[in-house]
Amino acid sequence: MEGQSRTKVVLLACGSFNPVTNMHLRMFELARDHLEDTGQYRVVKGIISPVGDGYKKKGLIEACHRLEMARLATENSDWIIVDSWESLQPEWVETNKVVRHHYDELAAEQNDDDVDTVKYSKKRRINKQVYCFEGSSHQKRRGCPQLMLLCGADVLESFGQPNLWKQEDINEIVSFYGLVCVTRSGSDPHKFIQQSDTLWKYRRNIHIVHEWVTNEISATHVRRALRRSQSVRYLLPDTVVHHQAEEVMGWGCELKTNQTHFKN
Amino acid sequence: MATRRVPLVLLACGSFNPITNQHMRLFELARDHMNGTGQYQVVGGIVSPVSDSYGKQGLVLAKHRIAMAKLALQSSSWITVDEWESQQPDWTETVVTLRHYYGRILKEHERSTGMHNNSSGRAALLASPSPQLKLLCGADFLSTFKVPDLWRDDHVEELVRRFGLVCISRGRLQPEQAVHESDTLSHHRHNIFLVREWVRNEISATEVRRALRRGLSVKYLIPDSVIEYIHQHNLYTEDSERRNEGNVLRPLTKQAQEPV
């Protein structure tokens, strides 16, 4: 594998983003630094995919607002974008289906870019083994970026919760795609991987990123602060604070009482 | 008798090397808390970067630290950056800085109440409570009182009696403990406001500088405008971190000298 140029990577983060916070955005930055630091990867895009309203989580405000806030938050980013596909689906979509959808999209984009398909497909057949990473059966079209799911350690640990994930979905994510897991304080993802045969088998496809700044800006806390008319400045990008968070979160939050407009 | 809220200004002294989102959060948290007591109305915030003569390791030039703070606070409607402390020839004791700003605030207050009141000063006082200035800090600041020779006893006394502290707890530090363990602080505990920060947000400037040295991202930890400034001027390198290496902090040498 020596001499191979870096693998292009796209990071996909699924979640409520209710609302998006600086912590979410930090996750992308940390993941990119980590992957590029290995010398093997070049992160070319980050995708925020807010969950659809069909998820029906308590306190989840409408997707249109969550999308808009995420867009405002990524206005000043040159590599992170927001994708609305998942949020537009009528029913909740399993994570691996979302990943699959984005993978297909990336592959389709790549097809449009491919010029010399005949020549390269021949080369691909001969060199198929070269594209396989150790322990991974990742099938890669020439030049197609590798799509990895970006998440916090809590998602990794949710793999262990009974009935939450289908085993074959977990397998697909860690074997075919890849996982980048940013640790929050108080969790030990390495131990968790150790204790799972599946995760252990594909450990090289699971990248654990240690957060050197403890940064626990939870969206739950942000919503709570907004309900109590407390400041959330500097927890979210200014663009979000100014335009959306107060009005939107104030109206659509957990307590459906008659509330006056929140002043910050 | 209707109680009018006391106008309150919050002053944060520090290296601001560089200013971070966490610094600015301190102001926001403090304002919410003090307004929430019902007794105060926070009317302003001042960031006062320390002068270069502080002598702390890794401290970059005041002009840069001021410029970055100004960029960071451009969009704030109530927090400003003041260069007075950084322009003094020598490091200035915190209490001296407080006295300076308080003097300014009082003058300003007298000027504005004077405009509305032709009567005597006493009437003016009744109409509008005199403003107060309190020092805004993190919980780690309280434990500096224990460092030998760093603080003069009479200064600590003046700080908590005459001005007051608004102290934001950080991480696992227990500021109540520090207050409890000091007779002076304990005696003036009514003038020490402890604000609990529920979001653990440990963006330290030290970590930010470390990340910058290593070419790692600090986006979303400090404002974009500050990041740009840092890159433009190539601040925070291995060289800059070695500045003042081996020096003794100025406060430790100055305290032995003339009283203020």
Side-chain angles (χ1 to χ4, degrees):
Chain A
M1 289 289 289
E2 283 80 12
Q4 282 282 340
S5 58
R6 289 169 178 251
T7 304
K8 288 194 287 185
V9 170
V10 172
L11 296 171
L12 168 68
C14 301
S16 306
F17 299 101
N18 187 36
V20 67
T21 69
N22 279 349
M23 195 213 73
H24 294 128
L25 300 164
R26 278 300 297 157
M27 231 179 30
F28 278 93
E29 298 284 313
L30 287 164
R32 178 168 72 162
D33 278 346
H34 177 92
L35 289 175
E36 299 207 343
D37 199 52
T38 63
Q40 296 173 264
Y41 304 102
R42 185 163 67 87
V43 178
V44 299
K45 186 158 54 163
I47 304 173
I48 290 178
S49 175
V51 77
D53 294 328
Y55 189 44
K56 295 212 192 304
K57 188 172 176 185
K58 181 169 180 279
L60 191 69
I61 63 161
E62 290 100 319
C64 56
H65 294 307
R66 291 183 287 113
L67 280 168
E68 181 57 17
M69 289 189 285
R71 283 190 191 119
L72 287 166
T74 51
E75 223 168 53
N76 296 325
S77 174
D78 59 6
W79 67 287
I80 306 171
I81 59 146
V82 182
D83 190 278
S84 58
W85 178 83
E86 184 184 352
S87 66
L88 294 172
Q89 303 312 303
E91 295 293 329
W92 174 69
V93 185
E94 284 103 323
T95 304
N96 63 301
K97 289 201 174 71
V98 179
V99 178
R100 222 179 276 154
H101 163 82
H102 284 283
Y103 179 76
D104 291 341
E105 293 262 293
L106 285 171
E109 269 170 37
Q110 197 54 42
N111 269 339
D112 295 343
D113 293 346
D114 270 354
V115 179
D116 223 336
T117 42
V118 173
K119 178 174 165 192
Y120 283 107
S121 63
K122 203 171 182 181
K123 201 172 177 185
R124 208 164 44 239
R125 271 198 295 279
I126 297 165
N127 294 331
K128 190 178 172 180
Q129 280 307 112
V130 180
Y131 289 92
C132 290
F133 294 101
E134 345 125 22
S136 153
S137 60
H138 188 92
Q139 316 251 338
K140 197 159 67 86
R141 294 194 193 157
R142 184 200 70 86
C144 184
Q146 184 170 351
L147 179 66
M148 296 193 196
L149 185 66
L150 171 63
C151 64
D154 52 342
V155 173
L156 181 69
E157 284 171 20
S158 76
F159 285 169
Q161 273 177 40
N163 304 322
L164 194 56
W165 292 82
K166 282 190 264 182
Q167 192 56 48
E168 61 258 34
D169 290 351
I170 297 174
N171 288 356
E172 187 183 348
I173 288 174
V174 296
S175 66
F176 191 83
Y177 299 105
L179 203 61
V180 184
C181 172
V182 180
T183 59
R184 281 206 211 186
S185 64
S187 65
D188 190 353
H190 291 287
K191 185 171 176 194
F192 190 73
I193 293 170
Q194 167 85 5
Q195 290 172 349
S196 154
D197 288 344
T198 311
L199 299 184
W200 176 254
K201 183 175 175 195
Y202 296 109
R203 65 195 178 282
R204 284 189 192 82
N205 234 7
I206 302 172
H207 306 267
I208 305 295
V209 183
H210 291 279
E211 206 179 29
W212 46 264
V213 163
T214 307
N215 202 351
E216 295 173 3
I217 305 173
S218 78
T220 305
H221 174 88
V222 169
R223 295 196 300 279
R224 185 178 298 136
L226 286 163
R227 284 203 300 280
R228 299 175 186 181
S229 303
Q230 291 166 343
S231 166
V232 293
R233 191 122 199 234
Y234 311 118
L235 296 181
L236 322 175
D238 272 358
T239 42
V240 182
V241 177
H242 289 147
H243 293 265
Q244 297 284 320
E246 292 165 33
E247 292 171 25
V248 173
M249 304 305 297
W251 285 112
C253 59
E254 277 113 308
L255 301 170
K256 298 256 182 214
T257 56
N258 236 4
Q259 294 170 14
T260 52
H261 178 78
F262 284 104
K263 188 171 81 76
N264 197 337
Chain B
M1 182 180 75
T3 40
R4 305 243 338 233
R5 286 175 179 247
V6 171
L8 179 61
V9 176
L10 301 168
L11 170 70
C13 299
S15 305
F16 299 102
N17 186 36
I19 193 166
T20 68
N21 281 351
Q22 176 65 355
H23 291 131
M24 299 186 286
R25 276 303 291 160
L26 295 186
F27 280 92
E28 297 284 311
L29 287 162
R31 178 170 72 160
D32 280 345
H33 180 90
M34 298 307 284
N35 284 352
T37 64
Q39 299 169 261
Y40 298 96
Q41 181 62 45
V42 176
V43 298
I46 305 171
V47 165
S48 176
V50 79
S51 88
D52 291 327
S53 24
Y54 186 48
K56 189 171 180 185
Q57 184 168 354
L59 197 68
V60 303
L61 290 176
K63 71 172 187 192
H64 290 310
R65 292 181 286 115
I66 301 261
M68 290 187 286
K70 282 186 171 158
L71 283 167
L73 291 164
Q74 220 164 37
S75 61
S76 177
S77 59
W78 66 288
I79 310 167
T80 57
V81 184
D82 202 290
E83 309 178 33
W84 178 83
E85 189 184 346
S86 68
Q87 286 167 344
Q88 300 314 299
D90 195 356
W91 170 75
T92 316
E93 288 91 336
T94 305
V95 159
V96 173
T97 307
L98 280 161
R99 287 179 197 153
H100 166 80
Y101 285 114
Y102 188 55
R104 257 211 241 159
I105 290 164
L106 275 185
K107 269 206 203 89
E108 185 58 47
H109 174 74
E110 274 156 30
R111 207 178 316 142
S112 62
T113 49
M115 272 160 42
H116 301 295
N117 253 315
N118 291 327
S119 43
S120 69
R122 191 182 288 272
L125 271 167
L126 287 172
S128 168
S130 200
Q132 287 184 21
L133 175 68
K134 295 198 190 302
L135 187 70
L136 171 62
C137 61
D140 48 345
F141 181 81
L142 286 182
S143 35
T144 67
F145 293 141
K146 286 192 289 202
V147 176
D149 300 326
L150 191 58
W151 285 90
R152 280 170 44 168
D153 290 339
D154 55 336
H155 277 194
V156 177
E157 165 82 29
E158 187 179 342
L159 172 57
V160 291
R161 177 184 47 78
R162 189 177 169 209
F163 298 105
L165 285 174
V166 183
C167 174
I168 318 287
S169 69
R170 177 151 123 164
R172 284 182 205 92
L173 287 171
Q174 306 273 39
E176 294 89 351
Q177 185 87 8
V179 173
H180 171 73
E181 285 174 0
S182 153
D183 288 345
T184 311
L185 296 184
S186 205
H187 186 66
H188 296 286
R189 63 194 175 283
H190 61 276
N191 210 12
I192 300 172
F193 298 84
L194 300 175
V195 184
R196 191 71 198 278
E197 192 193 43
W198 296 106
V199 167
R200 262 179 67 203
N201 200 354
E202 295 170 9
I203 305 173
S204 76
T206 305
E207 291 288 0
V208 168
R209 294 196 305 276
R210 183 173 295 140
L212 286 163
R213 281 201 300 282
R214 297 176 185 179
L216 299 173
S217 164
V218 294
K219 198 164 170 143
Y220 311 115
L221 298 181
I222 63 180
D224 286 350
S225 51
V226 179
I227 298 176
E228 213 181 290
Y229 184 93
I230 289 171
H231 287 314
Q232 261 171 29
H233 293 88
N234 195 31
L235 301 178
Y236 302 122
T237 59
E238 279 172 25
D239 280 336
S240 74
E241 197 63 17
R242 275 196 289 267
R243 202 179 295 209
N244 290 321
E245 202 170 25
N247 289 358
V248 179
L249 272 189
R250 184 68 184 117
L252 293 168
T253 58
K254 190 177 182 190
Q255 304 293 29
Q257 294 158 22
E258 79 283 25
V260 202

